[in-house]
């Protein structure tokens, strides 16, 4: 069946699903084959739970006229998403970068939603499956779409751009993330910049933070909407007022008081301001949207637990995000500081060196109690007052059971696989 016909069926349905545990009534279920599973086996179950159609790529599971047999279900999902994107003809903003993608996406979403019917990537559905699902969540009422794109190797952003066909793009930064897949920092820059290549080749536009020299260098020949802190040559000039602990931005003769912690979040806020301003959202509405945005999902959340203040930033970590989080924490005008840091993943041959760099970063901070959890931090163990190393999370828990934390401000940060939010049960 050609993709146009599948799209006509899709338009009659409410949604697309790839998980029979989350089937919605009148949806299309798309069955993928993986290394350890074959979702084709769930086709009949999907129909029994309310799906109107199932797309399969294994003829053994053909049921009746509600079954659409294709050569490759994943490729069909991607082609359907691309066809739907062309069908809608709405402006789409693509977001990628090493750090801050999701927070930036959410800030842009709340700002643009002040004026437009806006839809955006839910959570971090930002890969070769998530981006198509995001595009298929847009409908005839959607006026602007925001698509987050993640990548851990070359050519992935290029591939996602060919599906989403963005009209605008923004790269938050180029950091030390997924070094193993990208082949080092230069590989990260090359991989993320695939978005710039797509936008340039298709005469589209990019938002550029003039405070980032890599962004400036890579966008010389692209249609650019610029912003920056005290950059008078920018399309929009912004000023950062404060970050102790929450970021405050001075914009359009008013101070925006955010609920985001850390100077590193200033750029994320500034991007949302610049994009909202470009699309004609009133300055009053921009201020209101940002001030009402409260982070969640373990991203730079400030919480109180008994007498302790906790900055929970345990969604993910890499050397770049860890460094700026520590730098921000160090400059806070607070007493009783303590950091609990977990291993950073996907760093390949650079892992031990990068973990050592984080340990070294804290050597001069003699008033901060430093706890390090994970095998790579443990391999960089040193004998120093206020430094504590634990090879596993379980050993850390046993260690802190002997301690009592009172009137502390605690930064908790580590890669997703470390699940450091578990620490809240023991503090």
């Amino acid at each position: 069946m050609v993709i146009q016909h599948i799209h006509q069926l899709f338009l009659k349905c409410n949604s697309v699903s790839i998980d029979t545990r989350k089937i919605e009534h009148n949806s299309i279920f798309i069955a993928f084959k993986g290394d350890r599973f074959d979702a084709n086996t769930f086709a009949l179950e999907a129909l029994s739970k309310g799906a109107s159609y199932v797309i399969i790529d294994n003829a053994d599971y053909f049921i009746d006229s509600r079954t659409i047999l294709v050569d490759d279900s994943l490729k069909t999902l991607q082609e359907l998403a691309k066809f739907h994107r062309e069908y809608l003809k709405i402006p789409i903003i693509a977001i990628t970068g090493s750090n801050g993608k999701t927070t930036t996406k959410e800030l842009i979403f709340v700002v643009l939603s002040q004026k437009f019917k806006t839809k955006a990537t839910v959570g971090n559905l930002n890969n070769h499956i998530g981006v198509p699902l995001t595009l298929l969540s847009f409908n005839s009422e959607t006026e602007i779409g925001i698509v987050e794109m993640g990548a851990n190797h070359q050519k992935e952003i290029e591939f996602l751009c060919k599906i989403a066909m963005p009209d605008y793009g923004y790269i938050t930064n180029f950091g030390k993330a997924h070094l193993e897949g990208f082949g080092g920092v230069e590989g990260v820059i090359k991989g993320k910049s695939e978005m710039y290549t797509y936008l340039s080749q298709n005469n589209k536009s990019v938002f550029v933070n003039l405070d980032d020299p890599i962004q400036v260098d890579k966008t010389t020949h692209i249609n650019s909407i610029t912003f920056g802190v005290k950059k008078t040559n920018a399309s929009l000039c912004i000023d950062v007022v404060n970050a102790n602990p929450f970021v405050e931005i001075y914009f359009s003769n008013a101070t925006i008081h955010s609920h985001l912690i850390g100077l590193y979040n200033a750029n994320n806020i500034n991007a949302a301001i610049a994009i909202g301003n470009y699309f004609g959202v009133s300055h009053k509405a921009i201020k209101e949207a940002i001030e009402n945005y409260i982070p969640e999902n373990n991203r730079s959340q400030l919480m109180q637990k008994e007498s302790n203040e906790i900055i929970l930033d345990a969604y993910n970590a890499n050397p770049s995000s860890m460094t700026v989080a520590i730098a921000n924490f160090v400059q806070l005008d607070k007493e009783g500081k303590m950091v609990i840091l977990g291993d950073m993943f996907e760093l390949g041959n650079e892992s031990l060196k990068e973990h050592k760099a984080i340990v070294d970063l804290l050597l001069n901070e003699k008033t901060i109690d430093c706890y390090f959890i994970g095998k790579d931090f443990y391999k960089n163990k040193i004998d120093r007052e206020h430094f504590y190393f634990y090879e596993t999370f379980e050993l850390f828990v046993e260690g802190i059971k002997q301690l009592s934390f009172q009137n502390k401000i605690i930064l908790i940060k580590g890669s997703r696989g470390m699940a450091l939010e578990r620490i809240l049960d023991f503090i």
Side-chain angles (χ1 to χ4, degrees):
M1 184 177 288
V2 297
I3 208 70
Q4 292 94 324
H5 294 157
I6 295 177
H7 186 252
Q8 287 299 313
L9 296 177
F10 164 73
L11 292 177
K12 297 175 183 178
C13 295
N14 297 326
S15 63
V16 165
S17 175
I18 60 172
D19 188 342
T20 52
R21 295 168 298 181
K22 301 176 182 177
I23 289 285
E24 294 182 10
H25 178 70
N26 191 28
S27 62
I28 294 181
F29 174 72
I30 302 181
F32 298 147
K33 286 196 295 279
D35 295 333
R36 300 179 182 176
F37 67 91
D38 183 356
N40 287 278
T41 62
F42 298 108
L44 183 59
E45 179 184 338
L47 290 172
S48 69
K49 288 184 173 180
S52 295
Y53 300 96
V54 292
I55 295 176
I56 64 171
D57 53 13
N58 186 335
D60 292 342
Y61 297 96
F62 190 92
I63 301 162
D64 54 30
S65 60
R66 298 171 295 172
T67 311
I68 303 166
L69 179 63
V70 298
D71 292 331
D72 186 319
S73 294
L74 175 57
K75 187 176 179 181
T76 299
L77 170 71
Q78 294 163 345
E79 291 177 350
L80 177 63
K82 182 176 181 179
F83 189 91
H84 186 60
R85 187 269 177 273
E86 292 180 293
Y87 169 81
L88 289 178
K89 294 181 174 60
I90 60 171
I92 286 183
I93 305 166
I95 309 293
T96 192
S98 297
N99 306 307
K101 292 186 296 296
T102 300
T103 298
T104 303
K105 171 208 66 183
E106 291 177 353
L107 286 166
I108 295 168
F109 172 75
V110 297
V111 166
L112 292 180
S113 294
Q114 296 287 313
K115 181 178 180 181
F116 303 98
K117 292 178 180 177
T118 309
K119 284 201 171 184
T121 300
V122 176
N124 64 337
L125 288 174
N126 59 19
N127 63 5
H128 63 296
I129 297 174
V131 166
L133 290 174
T134 295
L135 293 168
L136 291 171
S137 73
F138 301 164
N139 57 39
S140 59
E141 295 183 355
T142 307
E143 294 177 314
I144 294 181
I146 306 168
V147 179
E148 179 181 331
M149 297 180 180
N152 56 20
H153 57 267
Q154 307 290 341
K155 299 296 182 181
E156 193 167 2
I157 295 298
E158 176 185 300
F159 178 73
L160 296 177
C161 282
K162 288 178 179 178
I163 296 174
M165 296 178 286
D167 302 285
Y168 303 89
Y170 176 61
I171 301 179
T172 58
N173 47 50
F174 303 86
K176 296 178 179 180
H178 305 295
L179 297 182
E180 188 172 18
F182 278 115
V185 175
E186 289 304 315
V188 172
I189 296 172
K190 181 181 177 182
K192 298 295 184 182
S193 294
E194 290 165 9
M195 180 181 288
Y196 291 152
T197 301
Y198 174 87
L199 295 169
S200 177
Q201 290 176 345
N202 291 277
N203 197 30
K204 304 299 184 179
S205 300
V206 61
F207 293 94
V208 180
N209 178 4
L210 295 185
D211 296 307
D212 184 340
I214 301 177
Q215 288 189 43
V216 174
D217 178 61
K218 295 292 183 180
T219 56
T220 307
H221 303 296
I222 310 177
N223 301 326
S224 299
I225 304 104
T226 58
F227 65 93
V229 176
K230 298 181 179 178
K231 294 289 193 299
T232 54
N233 61 324
S235 306
L236 189 70
C237 183
I238 305 169
D239 193 11
V240 179
V241 178
N242 204 326
N244 192 33
F246 297 114
V247 180
E248 296 178 5
I249 303 292
Y250 189 74
F251 165 67
S252 186
N253 299 316
T255 300
I256 298 175
H257 303 272
S258 81
H259 291 278
L260 286 161
I261 294 170
L263 283 169
Y264 51 90
N265 269 314
N267 285 333
N268 302 335
I269 296 170
N270 292 346
I273 293 172
I275 292 172
N277 182 73
Y278 174 82
F279 282 99
V281 181
S282 74
H283 293 179
K284 180 181 178 182
I286 291 174
K287 173 179 166 67
E288 181 180 322
I290 292 173
E291 291 188 333
N292 287 335
Y293 172 72
I294 299 176
E296 52 186 22
N297 297 328
N298 305 328
R299 288 183 173 92
S300 298
Q301 289 178 259
L302 182 65
M303 54 184 64
Q304 192 78 30
K305 191 159 187 186
E306 297 182 357
S307 66
N308 300 307
E309 277 187 291
I310 298 169
I311 299 174
L312 182 62
D313 195 2
Y315 182 79
N316 219 336
N318 57 56
S320 299
S321 65
M322 189 80 85
T323 298
V324 295
I326 291 170
N328 178 75
F329 188 72
V330 166
Q331 63 87 37
L332 292 179
D333 186 16
K334 300 276 187 176
E335 294 183 357
K337 291 180 182 177
M338 173 178 164
V339 297
I340 303 175
L341 306 178
D343 270 2
M344 303 171 287
F345 296 167
E346 295 186 59
L347 297 179
N349 295 331
E350 302 293 310
S351 189
L352 290 182
K353 183 183 79 173
E354 294 296 347
H355 282 82
K356 182 180 185 300
I358 296 299
V359 173
D360 291 346
L361 189 64
L362 288 158
L363 287 177
N364 294 324
E365 305 303 329
K366 298 179 181 179
T367 62
I368 300 178
D369 291 331
C370 303
Y371 293 79
F372 303 92
I373 309 170
K375 293 180 179 179
D376 282 4
F377 270 131
Y378 193 78
K379 289 174 182 175
N380 286 286
K381 181 179 180 181
I382 60 174
D383 185 14
R384 187 179 181 87
E385 189 178 4
H386 302 301
F387 275 45
Y388 309 91
F389 292 82
Y390 303 89
E391 192 168 9
T392 67
F393 182 83
E394 291 70 25
L395 290 172
F396 166 76
V397 170
E398 288 301 314
I400 65 170
K401 281 181 179 177
Q402 317 303 321
L403 305 174
S404 176
F405 302 130
Q406 300 291 331
N407 301 311
K408 296 282 189 180
I409 179 164
I410 306 168
L411 169 65
I412 300 175
K413 187 166 181 65
S415 277
R416 180 84 301 270
M418 294 298 295
L420 292 189
E421 64 274 10
R422 295 177 290 169
I423 291 170
L424 299 179
D425 295 331
F426 304 99
I427 294 180

